[in-house]
Amino acid sequence: MSHMRLALSLAGRALGSVSPNPAVGAVVVKDGEVIGRGWTRPPGREHAEVVALRQVGRRAAGASLYTTLEPCNHFGRTKPCTEAVIAAGIEEVYAAIRDPNPNVTGGGLERLAEAGVHVRVGDQAEAAGRMIEAYLKHSTTGMPFVTAKFAASLDGKIATRAGDSKWITADRARRETHRLRATSDAIMAGVNTVLVDDPLLTARDRKGNANERQPLRVIVDSRGRTPPKARLLSEPGHTLIAVAQADSAAADKLTDVGAEVVEVPGDDGSVDLEGMLRRLGAKGICGVMVEGGGALLGSLFDLGLVDKVVAFVAPTIIGGQGAPSPVGGLGVERLSDAVRLDRLRVARFGPDVCIIGYC
């Protein structure tokens, strides 16, 4: 494994626990030997480069540092990583990608170069960018990175005409869904999904136990129909219910069971989805995974708010004109206007296929 690939694998250990900071991995190499390893700690604690440098102490002098993201050069809750790199006597820094955050934007590498450190950029850039794609969008736009995730049969159905949807995909695909949830800042669903399926919307381990850290659950519920007894409201973590207009009695009942109810009115009496996402971004939510239903996904696609699609396809034929599909909304009239994904990847999870692409 190359040194940068090792740094990327270390960065993966930070996913799901460091947002709104990026998940970064760092490796210190001297005379061809890896002598230090680090990954980003939770907000307010050390960045990956500092963790790796502290492991090696004085041995860092004359060594090379491989990091998946340009070292920061500003004071936040921690001191600049560039100063730690310079003080340690690092001779070369290899960064996979530059940091587009306005607080960094090349300043980290420039600072290192000014101090006589040799800098190189670009190794494993695509993989590094994919690792922190939510951070990259949020840090430059203030908006969360939106992933549309769904599971469908081979003929494009998410349930039977009678509404039975458990389970379209097999165990391995469902385990991957829990992994994706664990690395997201928020999970979003529409109120119809809550009313029909009564889901938990939690991230769970292989044994089915709820993870200690849970993403924020966001329910898009224009008229405030979420039942106070919905199972997700008694699960670990926090739930935000976005309404177009809050009925005070209904809102009080939801607040009494621990939910946060916020009004985000749109022009047509429904929730302003773009406004809601902007509010989530302001709360430090970098990545949102949307799990349905078809009306919510359709509206997000109609508004051009989806960045990425993760579609699990099961080798099953359901049939039925009344069986629902994963994406509703208005859709398009001409195929030339259809959303076409690029940067496609295909993975297998047991009998199921997962298609991943970007809008």
Side-chain angles (χ1 to χ4, degrees):
M1 180 184 295
S2 72
H3 297 139
M4 191 62 80
R5 285 184 178 274
L6 174 58
L8 281 168
S9 70
L10 294 171
R13 301 188 187 189
L15 284 173
S17 65
V18 300
S19 188
N21 292 338
V24 178
V27 175
V28 180
V29 178
K30 192 168 187 178
D31 298 326
E33 177 187 358
V34 175
I35 60 173
R37 307 171 188 226
W39 58 90
T40 310
R41 297 307 193 244
R45 296 177 58 191
E46 302 91 343
H47 291 184
E49 300 93 327
V50 173
V51 174
L53 290 171
R54 284 186 177 174
Q55 280 186 4
V56 303
R58 294 181 178 179
R59 290 186 297 161
S64 298
L65 175 71
Y66 292 78
T67 179
T68 57
L69 183 67
E70 174 183 7
C72 68
N73 189 42
H74 64 283
F75 284 89
R77 282 180 281 190
T78 59
K79 296 179 180 179
C81 291
T82 51
E83 300 310 310
V85 171
I86 294 166
I90 290 291
E91 191 172 276
E92 297 177 312
V93 169
Y94 296 84
I97 56 175
R98 293 181 181 271
D99 190 338
N101 188 318
N103 290 322
V104 183
T105 55
L109 295 178
E110 290 176 1
R111 173 71 183 102
L112 293 173
E114 289 170 358
V117 180
H118 298 287
V119 297
R120 302 286 187 275
V121 185
D123 184 20
Q124 298 297 318
E126 182 178 353
R130 192 163 58 239
M131 176 81 68
I132 57 170
E133 56 196 9
Y135 164 80
L136 294 177
K137 180 182 179 183
H138 182 263
S139 65
T140 54
T141 68
M143 290 284 283
F145 185 92
V146 177
T147 299
K149 175 265 167 188
F150 55 83
S153 63
L154 194 59
D155 58 335
K157 310 294 185 181
I158 58 173
T160 69
R161 56 186 168 83
D164 183 16
S165 61
K166 295 184 179 179
W167 297 96
I168 288 178
T169 54
D171 287 345
R172 287 184 60 185
R174 295 200 295 274
R175 287 202 298 269
E176 175 65 6
T177 292
H178 282 287
R179 188 194 70 80
L180 293 171
R181 286 178 178 177
T183 58
S184 300
D185 294 334
I187 303 169
M188 185 184 296
V191 67
N192 288 334
T193 296
V194 176
L195 295 173
V196 173
D197 296 337
D198 197 15
L200 299 178
L201 294 184
T202 48
R204 297 181 175 270
D205 62 22
R206 285 177 172 267
K207 295 182 180 179
N209 301 315
N211 296 348
E212 181 178 353
R213 180 265 179 193
Q214 289 292 330
L216 175 69
R217 292 181 290 272
V218 180
I219 307 302
V220 179
D221 182 3
S222 295
R223 296 185 304 225
R225 294 184 293 149
T226 300
K229 292 185 178 180
R231 293 196 301 166
L232 59 85
L233 293 174
S234 60
E235 285 295 295
H238 300 285
T239 302
L240 183 151
I241 300 176
V243 300
Q245 185 173 3
D247 174 271
S248 57
D252 287 345
K253 291 180 181 179
L254 292 169
T255 302
D256 288 344
V257 293
E260 178 186 359
V261 179
V262 297
E263 287 190 6
V264 196
D267 294 335
D268 58 354
S270 61
V271 170
D272 176 2
L273 293 176
E274 184 173 357
M276 183 192 64
L277 288 170
R278 196 166 296 282
R279 289 181 66 158
L280 291 176
K283 291 167 67 74
I285 299 295
C286 296
V288 176
M289 185 165 77
V290 185
E291 294 207 34
L296 175 58
L297 283 172
S299 295
L300 289 167
F301 275 107
D302 286 344
L303 293 169
L305 295 173
V306 177
D307 297 293
K308 181 179 181 180
V309 174
V310 177
F312 292 92
V313 181
T316 306
I317 304 295
I318 292 177
Q321 290 184 354
S325 63
V327 180
L330 293 175
V332 299
E333 294 184 356
R334 294 174 296 195
L335 279 176
S336 59
D337 296 326
V339 176
R340 295 189 181 274
L341 305 181
D342 60 15
R343 290 177 283 162
L344 289 174
R345 290 181 289 133
V346 178
R348 282 284 300 271
F349 294 94
D352 304 312
V353 174
C354 184
I355 301 170
I356 304 127
Y358 294 82
C359 299

